[in-house]
Amino acid sequence: MTKTILITGATSGFGAAAVKRFAEAGWRVIATGRRAERLQGLVDRFGADKVHAAVFDMRDEAALEASLAALPEAFRSIDVLVNNAGLALGTAPAQKASLQDWRTMIDTNITALVTLTHRLLPDLIERKGVIINMSSVAASYPYPGGNTYGGSKAFVKQFSLGLRSDLHGTGVRVTSIEPGMAETEFTLVRTHGDQAASDKMYGGATPMTAEDIAEQLYYIATLPPHLNINRLEIMPVTQSFAGFQVDRK
C-alpha cells in the first residue's frame, strides 16, 4: 500500500530534497511551503498523483487548517509527518539581536511545529505513524550568535522526547534529527541574503548536502515498526565540537 508523507518547508534545502527522495521511492508527498512556484516545480516533475502542493505560511494557523481540510482524498491518510520548516535569523549576540527576528524564529520553529503536530496526532496515532522533527546540533552545543535559534532547536529536541514518552504504547515513532553543517540556503536566510557570508561559511569545509539529510529521513521513515531512533545527531567529518570561550584580561 502506498504511504503518504507530509513534509513542511519543502521549497528548498532538506525539505525539497526529501520530497524528491520519497516521491522517487513511490510515496505520495504533501509538500508545504510559501513559494508556490517552487512547489509547483515538484508537482510538475513527479505528477499531481505523487506530489500535492500545499501553499501557506506555517505561522498562519487558519491557512494551515484550510490547507489540511482541502487535501485531495488520496492524500488524506498521513503516515509520516516531517516537521522540517524552520529558520535562523541574524548572527548578532543577544544584546544586539533583533527582537523581531527572535519572534519569527519562535513562531516558525516552535509554535507552528507544535500546532501542526497537535493537529495531526489523532491521525498519526490511528495509523501508528512516524513523526520526524528537524532539530539541530545547535540544540546541544551553544555558539556565539546562536541564542534564540539554538533555544528553539533545543525545544524541538526536548519536545520530541516528550512526545515519544506521551505516545508510549500507541505505536507512533518519534525522532529528533540534529544536523550540523549542511550547505543549503540556511546561511543566506540567516544573514538576510549575504552571499559572501554563505560562501565563507561553507568554503573548503565539505559540508553535508540536503540529499544527505533526505537519505536519513527516508531511512528513519522506512524502519521496521518495532524500531525507534530517538535522536540522530549527524555532522560532516570536517566539523566537531568547539572549545570553551575564555575572556582574558
Side-chain angles (χ1 to χ4, degrees):
M1 182 180 296
T2 302
K3 290 192 173 183
T4 301
I5 183 169
L6 189 155
I7 301 170
T8 68
T11 58
S12 65
F14 300 158
V19 171
K20 295 170 187 175
R21 181 65 179 90
F22 282 88
E24 286 170 353
W27 287 55
R28 281 189 290 261
V29 183
I30 303 162
T32 85
R34 292 177 297 169
R35 290 174 284 189
E37 71 285 355
R38 292 198 178 187
L39 294 181
Q40 188 58 48
L42 294 168
V43 175
D44 293 343
R45 176 172 176 178
F46 295 105
D49 60 327
K50 284 287 181 64
V51 176
H52 172 74
V55 183
F56 64 93
D57 187 327
M58 284 289 297
R59 296 171 295 172
D60 185 338
E61 186 175 350
L64 182 156
E65 184 59 46
S67 291
L68 292 177
L71 287 174
E73 187 63 35
F75 289 84
R76 286 184 175 274
S77 298
I78 298 169
D79 299 282
V80 180
L81 167 63
V82 176
N83 279 312
N84 167 71
L87 76 169
L89 290 173
T91 59
Q95 63 273 28
K96 297 181 179 179
S98 160
L99 180 58
Q100 185 54 53
D101 282 351
W102 281 11
R103 287 173 172 161
T104 299
M105 285 186 279
I106 291 167
D107 290 345
T108 306
N109 300 356
I110 297 177
T111 306
L113 182 148
V114 301
T115 299
L116 178 58
T117 302
H118 187 268
R119 169 64 172 74
L120 293 182
L121 272 178
D123 294 333
L124 290 165
I125 291 171
E126 181 180 350
R127 300 183 68 78
K128 294 181 169 57
V130 180
I131 300 169
I132 306 175
N133 293 325
M134 193 62 65
S135 181
S136 167
V137 294
S140 299
Y141 312 112
Y143 56 86
N147 41 70
T148 296
Y149 175 71
S152 71
K153 291 303 185 178
F155 174 90
V156 172
K157 177 176 75 172
Q158 193 63 26
F159 178 63
S160 301
L161 295 175
L163 279 176
R164 175 89 172 94
S165 179
D166 287 346
L167 294 170
H168 178 78
T170 66
V172 176
R173 290 173 282 158
V174 185
T175 298
S176 169
I177 296 190
E178 298 159 26
M181 180 186 288
E183 187 169 6
T184 63
E185 294 180 6
F186 176 87
T187 300
L188 276 177
V189 173
R190 185 172 194 182
T191 59
H192 300 284
D194 188 338
Q195 185 64 55
S198 180
D199 294 343
K200 181 179 180 181
M201 170 67 73
Y202 302 118
T206 318
M208 296 184 293
T209 66
E211 290 71 26
D212 291 330
I213 302 304
E215 197 61 41
Q216 304 312 308
L217 288 166
Y218 186 77
Y219 162 68
I220 292 167
T222 56
L223 282 170
H226 68 289
L227 297 178
N228 192 92
I229 304 295
N230 298 325
R231 295 175 56 216
L232 178 60
E233 181 181 291
I234 178 171
M235 291 181 177
V237 173
T238 56
Q239 183 183 35
S240 60
F241 316 105
F244 288 113
Q245 300 178 93
V246 178
D247 180 24
R248 302 184 187 279
K249 303 300 184 184

